[in-house]
Amino acid sequence: MTILQGNPVSPGIAIGRIYKYIPFDPSVAETFCAPEETEAQVAAYQTAKASARAELDTLFAHMSKENPEKAGIFQAHTDILDDEVMDEEILAGIQSAYMAADYAVATVFGTYIDMFSQMEDPLFKERAMDLQDVQSRFIRNLHGIEERNLSSLSEATIVLAEDLFPSDTATIDRQHVMGIVTELGGSTSHSAIIAKGYGIAAVLGIEGLMETVPDGVQAVLDATTGALMIAPDAETLAEYEQKRETFLKEREYTQKFIGVEAITKDGVKIDVGMNIGSVKLPEHQEHAEFIGLFRTEFLYMESDHMPTENEQFEAYKSILLAMGDRPVTLRTLDIGGDKKLDYWPMPHEENPFLGNRALRLCFAREDVFTTQLRAALRASVHGNLQIMFPMVGSLEDFRRGKAAVEAVQVELDQAGIPYAPNVKIGMMVEIPSVALFADKFAAEVDFASIGTNDLTQYLFAVDRMNPQVVEYYQEFSPIMIRTLAQIITAFNQAGKPISICGELGGNAKATAILVGLGLTKLSMNTASFAACRRVITGIEASKAKDLAEQVMAADTEAEVKQLAEAFIAHI
Ligand code: PEP
Ligand code: MG
């Protein structure tokens, strides 16, 4: 048995077969064949087509049962495969132009993909994506490479990948994917957030993973400690089967707390909100009292053009309507750093996380900022909206952002366009300079939310995406807790709402400390509701305050974790 150690980001115990996920690269070389080889190339083309169709039929049958809404995609792909015009053109490419079968497929599909992707209509653009998908399937079959996708697996599986992207996880087979292990990604990466959202055990940041672990072998993933055990012996297997049972029972018990009112035993009410990153509200949204963080980046990242004011307006409106009276905290565009857009080329930066990102970028592109603010303010009449700026580093930043909102309000007034008059303007606290100046900010802003993901990164000068430095990313350090205390105290003293929306806000091990520091609003992924509410209802706020004092006096992160774990051990 080999044991590899990584960074556990979504707890759980998984037992299953290793499935190495390597996205297929469909690029082909410009290859021609001799006239006497055309028949063999045509035969290869027909065989690949038949295999592609068989794959699509299986996917269609599987998805019709699992997720009928998505099954239609595969029917549409079969129709593309059967398109007679393209078929004739491909055959002509092989028989008359002596192209190799893969080159002929790539050429013909390429022409249509280019044509459709240049059209304005989003339906045609979608069609181009479908063509790309079918082209890739076709070429993979021509190259005799087995399909690797995450939507249809036949047994309990632990997925290994270099990294996972939204497109890989959108249709992930939640029944069979028991665990996720990646080479890249820190605790706040996309893979981590997805795994937590789905309740799938995940360990990230194992260097050399894809090279060392063989495909198809039995493995155990302990995502409570971060250990991946390859080819475990019978004794280990039995031990972990037992541990898995216990973990699942415990989780089932915790789940009962998902919708309970979060009041401590001594009567302190904690508001539990959710973080969202799409127009479709997540599972369990009905248990959220507010949206503490609406990451608007997805609108920009999923689009192939700068989202128009109307596109944004419709998206914001639909969320506000879905939330009714519940407050929605819309965070303005937080792009740059690790988040790039194809249609918005940005100059190379040596240190993108310290560069022109988020609010700074919005200041540089006033048109982009104004478009988003107009869309948000127009949508504000449909619900309870508040606007929040990311990456504020100074009072000047906040004032400049607020002035932009006010300028848009004047524009809307002049045009007679309605907007809610009481939209609160707040900010994220995620740069340490703000923590040091918290009293000044508290006096000026309507509200704030602590972004511990970036705050930790900047406080300890440690890249949150780099798996090689995870041990230095110390969210539980007493230094971090004292920094949080300074922010929370300043806001509480000024009587201004302060919440938390970084990953620490949904970490049940931190909940008692956060309550002890005086936070009464926590925003998190809905997957964390149950565990955090279980802690809140099981503690006394007055004792949590003592715990906070104790951890602030500690020397190391390990001591803080130990104290925090001991405090909630009986709950
Ligand atoms: C944060 O930095 O804590 C945060 C919530 O924002 P993001 O993770 O989107 O940077
Ligand atoms: Mg951030």
Side-chain angles (χ1 to χ4, degrees):
M1 169 167 83
T2 318
I3 303 180
L4 300 172
Q5 192 63 36
N7 177 23
V9 295
S10 173
I13 310 274
I15 301 173
R17 251 173 226 296
I18 294 289
Y19 182 86
K20 280 164 92 168
Y21 178 60
I22 306 163
F24 174 69
D25 171 11
S27 49
V28 299
E30 195 176 321
T31 321
F32 295 90
C33 59
E36 63 273 20
E37 285 165 5
T38 53
E39 224 171 280
Q41 290 297 314
V42 168
Y45 163 68
Q46 303 292 13
T47 310
K49 190 169 170 175
S51 319
R53 183 179 298 104
E55 283 176 7
L56 286 169
D57 287 348
T58 312
L59 280 168
F60 179 75
H62 175 79
M63 284 306 243
S64 302
K65 268 192 273 153
E66 299 290 322
N67 191 345
E69 244 177 71
K70 295 218 162 97
I73 300 173
F74 299 112
Q75 183 55 53
H77 286 191
T78 307
D79 294 344
I80 294 175
L81 205 60
D82 287 337
D83 188 287
E84 281 175 20
V85 177
M86 290 213 290
D87 183 60
E88 273 169 29
E89 289 175 4
I90 292 167
L91 286 173
I94 301 172
Q95 289 163 331
S96 313
Y98 304 121
M99 288 173 169
D102 60 353
Y103 181 45
V105 168
T107 307
V108 172
F109 271 78
T111 313
Y112 288 98
I113 291 167
D114 286 349
M115 190 173 88
F116 283 122
S117 44
Q118 277 158 22
M119 293 182 181
E120 276 295 314
D121 188 333
L123 277 179
F124 284 116
K125 286 193 191 292
E126 243 172 67
R127 179 93 176 150
M129 305 272 275
D130 288 332
L131 281 163
Q132 229 149 15
D133 216 322
V134 178
Q135 177 195 36
S136 177
R137 183 177 296 285
F138 225 137
I139 293 173
R140 181 174 48 67
N141 273 291
L142 270 165
H143 292 180
I145 297 168
E146 197 195 323
E147 166 145 58
R148 302 255 102 176
N149 83 40
L150 302 178
S151 62
S152 167
L153 300 159
S154 55
E155 58 181 341
T157 299
I158 297 175
V159 172
L160 261 53
E162 199 175 324
D163 200 1
L164 291 177
F165 296 98
S167 54
D168 304 320
T169 44
T171 57
I172 201 162
D173 178 348
R174 288 165 67 179
Q175 197 190 337
H176 293 110
V177 175
M178 301 288 146
I180 292 175
V181 191
T182 66
E183 288 200 10
L184 303 177
S187 53
T188 59
S189 67
H190 178 79
S191 306
I193 291 169
I194 287 285
K196 272 191 262 186
Y198 287 167
I200 298 175
V203 170
L204 311 186
I206 301 185
E207 226 181 300
L209 177 76
M210 298 298 272
E211 224 174 281
T212 33
V213 181
D215 201 27
V217 289
Q218 175 90 8
V220 168
L221 180 68
D222 182 348
T224 60
T225 64
L228 174 65
M229 290 154 259
I230 310 295
D233 50 52
E235 203 182 316
T236 310
L237 206 55
E239 181 196 338
Y240 276 93
E241 260 156 18
Q242 187 57 46
K243 278 192 177 164
R244 183 172 148 75
E245 275 296 298
T246 316
F247 179 86
L248 291 177
K249 269 206 197 112
E250 180 71 11
R251 178 143 85 187
E252 202 183 310
Y253 173 69
T254 301
Q255 216 47 30
K256 297 190 201 313
F257 292 82
I258 189 153
V260 303
E261 196 167 30
I263 303 182
T264 64
K265 282 174 158 176
D266 50 351
V268 177
K269 163 83 171 81
I270 308 294
D271 298 335
V272 177
M274 65 178 164
N275 296 348
I276 65 162
S278 103
V279 176
K280 193 167 169 277
L281 295 183
E283 239 179 317
H284 310 307
Q285 62 81 17
E286 66 279 13
H287 302 305
E289 289 162 270
F290 65 104
I291 291 178
L293 172 62
F294 168 24
R295 290 184 166 98
T296 55
E297 296 81 79
F298 80 93
L299 271 177
Y300 297 74
M301 298 186 67
E302 285 174 6
S303 172
D304 58 3
H305 59 274
M306 197 65 85
T308 62
E309 183 183 318
N310 262 339
E311 284 169 343
Q312 295 191 53
F313 167 75
E314 290 299 336
Y316 304 155
K317 177 179 158 189
S318 93
I319 287 168
L320 285 162
L321 286 175
M323 288 296 285
D325 296 339
R326 298 178 289 173
V328 174
T329 315
L330 179 148
R331 180 176 74 182
T332 59
L333 184 57
D334 185 359
I335 216 84
D338 60 319
K339 299 171 200 154
K340 301 260 185 285
L341 301 173
D342 290 343
Y343 53 85
W344 186 354
M346 294 178 197
H348 172 75
E349 294 181 301
E350 284 300 332
N351 295 298
F353 276 107
L354 303 179
N356 207 9
R357 63 172 287 206
L359 196 58
R360 297 173 189 169
L361 212 48
C362 286
F363 291 156
R365 277 287 301 268
E366 214 178 301
D367 56 326
V368 174
F369 197 28
T370 303
T371 303
Q372 181 171 40
L373 295 174
R374 275 183 69 99
L377 285 169
R378 278 177 52 206
S380 66
V381 295
H382 297 287
N384 188 350
L385 178 79
Q386 36 189 42
I387 293 177
M388 174 164 79
F389 305 129
M391 296 295 294
V392 170
S394 64
L395 273 178
E396 292 92 310
D397 284 352
F398 178 75
R399 288 176 183 168
R400 198 166 161 188
K402 189 172 171 184
V405 176
E406 287 165 351
V408 170
Q409 285 172 329
V410 170
E411 247 177 56
L412 293 175
D413 284 337
Q414 282 165 354
I417 299 171
Y419 59 90
N422 52 353
V423 173
K424 301 227 173 358
I425 317 279
M427 57 181 274
M428 305 236 354
V429 182
E430 49 186 353
I431 301 184
S433 58
V434 174
L436 294 169
F437 221 43
D439 55 335
K440 290 275 194 181
F441 282 96
E444 190 148 335
V445 308
D446 291 335
F447 70 92
S449 182
I450 308 171
T452 49
N453 308 340
D454 277 314
L455 186 58
T456 313
Q457 157 163 278
Y458 295 125
L459 191 60
F460 293 98
V462 54
D463 182 348
R464 67 191 255 195
M465 306 296 286
N466 183 347
Q468 286 174 37
V469 289
V470 275
E471 66 178 294
Y472 304 103
Y473 186 88
Q474 299 196 344
E475 279 177 305
F476 279 86
S477 159
I479 302 169
M480 182 71 181
I481 310 297
R482 286 192 191 191
T483 309
L484 295 177
Q486 193 166 332
I487 303 162
I488 297 162
T489 308
F491 275 79
N492 282 345
Q493 276 174 358
K496 294 283 176 68
I498 177 80
S499 64
I500 182 170
C501 62
E503 288 302 299
L504 194 68
N507 186 334
K509 281 195 193 129
T511 307
I513 300 178
L514 298 175
V515 171
L517 290 172
L519 268 182
T520 52
K521 286 177 188 296
L522 310 177
S523 188
M524 60 191 75
N525 299 320
T526 57
S528 302
F529 280 178
C532 290
R533 283 187 159 122
R534 179 175 168 185
V535 171
I536 294 165
T537 51
I539 59 170
E540 285 169 48
S542 58
K543 294 208 173 125
K545 194 161 178 258
D546 297 339
L547 168 72
E549 294 291 339
Q550 255 181 306
V551 298
M552 275 193 284
D555 289 342
T556 64
E557 182 182 50
E559 285 172 44
V560 174
K561 282 188 174 164
Q562 213 171 17
L563 287 164
E565 277 168 26
F567 187 82
I568 56 169
H570 67 284
I571 295 166

